DNA sequence: GGTTAGCACTCATCTAACCAGAGTGCTAAC
DNA sequence: GTTAGCACTCTGGTTAGATGAGTGCTAACC
């Protein structure tokens, strides 16, 4: 347990380091208006904080920088929660005032806004189709062997996939099935679609349809992969402006990882159910390349279920308070907007 | 007009510089097996070539590097055209052997293959819907104010857009129009769609439909913006491996430009009709950030009309011969594949 | 006992000086 | 026309010293 004075000093060091990116010395802390102690006293406390693991020293004669544990403590106990500047609130308000009417467009645009506002990299996870429901299904023949399957969800997203059709299946059969599907499965959540396809329609189809097996296979692949969420990345190059990444080799690893969509998907997957804000510091991200990065994520949701995430990636030395404030507001407003659209 | 010997020397210098990234001196040229002259002779020729503007010298006691004019000459007259290594041919062949059945997927995948194979950045321009024709049109109501418009093209691409519906238009009216559209305008090239909409259907619709004006506006926006082509970028971080870009500030400008999709669209737009290969060196790209980059592009086409482009961006000191060889083959094979699919 | 002034010590960073090496241009000889 | 020889130039790397920020420790102070 830290004393009040230790908290105050840790807080001051993190704040200073966040803005300056330089190790901070006892003298500069002591000179701050709200600190009533001499450099020597601060030094003693700093030595203690280092022993406790909250600070570290790049080399003997340098100031201190926060350790991962130090950042963790800062984020968990010290971050001031008031930090949403009015200018930023205005930007967000202006963003929601624009009339955009497709969910995906909103998310994409939000990514840009976020990276511009924060000067970090924004990573947004597009809405999870999984929890939205079927609005309309269509199978449109392109030639005698292939067709394009189109799924429209209740949120107006359109997913499409090209499938190949076995020659023994006739056009009229396909039409029958698609009609059946549309009459019985509309408003079923996509994640239940396949199971309901079998349970509700299986019997009926087996009766009316000649090539049941083959047809089912086609539908299976048509409905299959549409659960892939999209990643919207913006401001990746903002990483290059951070002084800790002025070395090309280090930043290459980071940018390389940002090109790996599957990795990002995993990283942003909404933490099991919770809708709170997550801060992952350094190696908590489980990737060597992100050892000196922090990722802050929040979720937006519909009907209480997380639909997707919005995240900001920056150096561990990142403006936690400001970013958390912005993400909090934006995720809340996105959720509100979705609720307003689709209730 | 350059003498044969001058060409030979210029060629040797460009080749050397491309692989080493260091200014090349007279001695190293003279030592090459195929050159029968002493360093002194080479030096004289190099001085001449510098006077003519084909070479430049970073400083007095350094070797020479090719100038923009030098690269231009190299590309226009000296590039050896045989350079498609068998290993690379195999990779491309393997790529086309995979069964991918959606045009967009192929392009996206091709982008990765290209950047991996070349270790440069690949920029591909997705197929231009413009010259494909309408396969199916649909307007699907989401709620009483909005609907999603879906356009399926003859190449199986699905474009969708959310539009808002004025309250005075009824569902049945909309259905009527959509049916009309599907019966009369299927197989019309998308770029003629709007004009034919007016010329062929205008009269008939005006007769049958109550709110003609409003409905036309809806259709207009529904058909409007679907001409946007997609950019597929891969290997942007390969730029960071080039020694000339080891300075973060320089490379930041380049990567920033790569995030600007509209700029890339303009840059890759198939050069007026031609299907040949284009090489733009340094400032020929019209962007300060690309002053030390070269962009090589080729097009793929359907029915003799360019559908999109594939391009490689690298430093001006780039392996022109190899890249041009690869792009040539890939664009040819892409075109062949499209012709095979959609004829 | 907690706090602070004083001081010796450490270590990264900056500068200047120097050296080695690569490459040139010129001259004179072949 | 070609080449050997040589003086000259400029970069890059290394070393040595000076600078200064910051520390830890001790002893004095309240």
């Amino acid at each position: 347990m830290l004393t009040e004075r230790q908290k105050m000093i840790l807080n001051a060091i993190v704040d200073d380091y966040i803005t300056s990116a330089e190790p901070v010395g006892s003298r500069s802390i002591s000179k701050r208006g709200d600190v009533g102690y001499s450099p020597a006293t601060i030094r003693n406390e700093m030595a203690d904080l280092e022993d406790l693991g909250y600070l570290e020293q790049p080399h003997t004669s340098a100031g201190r920088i926060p350790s991962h544990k130090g950042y963790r403590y800062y984020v968990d106990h010290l971050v001031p929660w008031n930090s949403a500047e009015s200018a930023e609130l205005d930007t967000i308000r202006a963003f929601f005032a624009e009339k955009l009417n497709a969910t995906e467009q909103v998310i994409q645009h939000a990514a840009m806004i976020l990276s511009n506002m924060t000067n970090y990299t924004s990573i947004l996870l597009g809405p999870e189709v999984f929890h939205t429901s079927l609005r309309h299904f269509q199978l449109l023949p392109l030639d005698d062997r292939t067709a394009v399957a189109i799924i429209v969800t209740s949120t107006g997203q359109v997913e499409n996939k090209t499938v190949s059709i076995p020659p023994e299946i006739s056009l009229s059969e396909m039409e029958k099935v698609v009609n059946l599907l549309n009459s019985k499965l509309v408003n079923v959540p996509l994640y239940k679609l396949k199971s309901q396809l079998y349970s509700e329609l299986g019997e009926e189809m087996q009766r009316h349809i000649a090539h049941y097996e083959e047809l089912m296979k086609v539908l299976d692949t048509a409905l299959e992969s549409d659960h892939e969420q999209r990643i919207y990345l913006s401001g990746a190059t903002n990483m290059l402006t951070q002084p800790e990444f002025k070395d090309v080799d280090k930043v290459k690893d980071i940018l390389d990882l940002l090109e790996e969509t599957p990795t990002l998907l995993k990283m942003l997957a909404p933490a099991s159910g919770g809708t709170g804000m997550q801060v992952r510091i350094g190696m908590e991200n489980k990737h060597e390349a992100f050892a000196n990065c922090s990722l802050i994520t929040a979720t937006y949701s519909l009907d209480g279920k997380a639909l997707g995430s919005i995240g900001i990636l920056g150096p561990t030395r990142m403006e936690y308070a400001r970013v958390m404030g912005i993400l909090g507001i934006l995720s809340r407003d996105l959720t509100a907007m979705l609720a307003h659209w689709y209730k």
Side-chain angles (χ1 to χ4, degrees), chain A:
Chain A
M1 192 55 202
L2 298 184
T3 67
E4 281 309 311
R5 193 167 70 183
Q6 283 173 326
K7 288 185 196 174
M8 190 261 288
I9 291 175
L10 178 55
N11 190 31
I13 290 176
V14 175
D15 276 348
D16 252 39
Y17 185 62
I18 280 175
T19 58
S20 72
E22 308 264 298
V24 2
S26 54
R27 214 176 99 87
S28 62
I29 297 292
S30 163
K31 271 196 300 192
R32 288 165 65 118
D34 50 340
V35 183
Y37 300 99
S38 75
T41 311
I42 309 284
R43 274 205 292 283
N44 288 330
E45 293 286 28
M46 279 162 88
D48 289 352
L49 282 169
E50 187 175 353
D51 287 343
L52 291 169
Y54 294 99
L55 297 178
E56 41 196 44
Q57 220 173 357
H59 54 265
T60 350
S61 70
R64 301 301 207 294
I65 62 175
S67 66
H68 284 187
K69 189 176 171 186
Y71 282 122
R72 185 81 262 169
Y73 191 90
Y74 175 79
V75 168
D76 289 343
H77 301 104
L78 304 175
V79 153
W81 261 103
N82 52 342
S83 312
E85 306 256 329
S86 72
E88 288 158 355
L89 277 173
D90 287 349
T91 314
I92 295 179
R93 219 171 277 137
F95 166 60
F96 280 104
E98 287 181 53
K99 276 270 167 181
L100 295 169
N101 48 8
T103 319
E104 301 248 357
Q105 264 177 45
V106 175
I107 301 295
Q108 188 164 18
H109 196 171
M112 270 189 45
I113 301 277
L114 266 178
S115 65
N116 284 340
M117 207 157 42
T118 58
N119 284 315
Y120 297 120
T121 303
S122 70
I123 313 175
L124 302 221
L125 188 60
E128 163 80 273
V129 241
F130 222 58
H131 286 116
T132 62
S133 48
L134 182 68
R135 176 75 191 71
H136 184 77
F137 176 73
Q138 193 160 16
L139 205 55
L140 207 65
L142 286 176
D143 54 44
D144 39 327
R145 284 292 167 80
T146 54
V148 45
I150 300 175
I151 294 180
V152 184
T153 73
S154 53
T155 54
Q157 281 157 234
V158 178
E159 302 283 333
N160 71 283
K161 194 180 181 190
T162 316
V163 293
S164 41
I165 308 285
E168 59 266 30
I169 297 181
S170 74
L171 254 178
S172 64
E173 264 181 341
M174 256 174 40
E175 231 168 86
K176 245 193 269 177
V177 173
V178 170
N179 285 337
L180 208 58
L181 224 148
N182 273 316
S183 66
K184 299 272 183 179
L185 295 187
V186 160
N187 289 333
V188 168
L190 293 198
Y191 68 97
K192 285 191 196 162
L193 210 52
K194 277 181 137 188
S195 60
Q196 294 226 0
L197 177 68
Y198 285 97
S199 66
E200 296 217 354
L201 300 186
E203 218 174 302
E204 198 168 345
M205 275 172 59
Q206 234 163 343
R207 229 178 304 141
H208 295 302
I209 307 287
H211 302 277
Y212 174 73
E213 295 280 331
E214 285 84 356
L215 204 48
M216 271 323 231
K217 253 185 224 158
V218 172
L219 288 183
D220 247 28
T221 55
L223 302 176
E224 172 89 18
S225 78
D226 292 315
H227 312 319
E228 31 177 77
Q229 288 181 275
R230 291 211 181 76
I231 287 283
Y232 300 91
L233 199 68
S234 178
T237 56
N238 284 341
M239 280 295 170
L240 298 172
T241 64
Q242 300 297 337
E244 44 265 79
F245 301 134
K246 70 176 195 300
D247 177 20
V248 172
D249 296 324
K250 278 178 207 151
V251 86
K252 168 118 174 20
D253 293 337
I254 297 177
L255 294 184
D256 276 345
L257 203 55
L258 288 179
E259 276 200 359
E260 278 180 36
T261 321
T263 312
L264 295 185
L265 275 171
K266 246 183 261 166
M267 227 175 255
L268 284 207
S272 50
T275 52
M277 197 164 310
Q278 272 218 350
V279 181
R280 257 166 294 171
I281 298 164
M283 280 311 290
E284 292 169 24
N285 290 299
K286 315 268 188 205
H287 282 276
E288 193 56 48
F290 283 177
N292 295 307
C293 297
S294 283
L295 177 65
I296 309 184
T297 56
T299 58
Y300 58 92
S301 42
L302 184 60
D303 290 334
K305 273 170 201 150
L307 268 195
S309 319
I310 63 184
I312 294 285
L313 182 75
T316 41
R317 182 192 63 75
M318 127 189 254
E319 299 166 90
Y320 293 95
R322 197 164 74 86
V323 171
M324 288 168 80
I326 292 173
L327 279 184
I329 293 169
L330 197 71
S331 69
R332 197 197 54 199
D333 290 1
L334 266 178
T335 300
M337 189 195 68
L338 288 177
H340 180 250
W341 278 6
Y342 306 111
K343 64 151 187 246

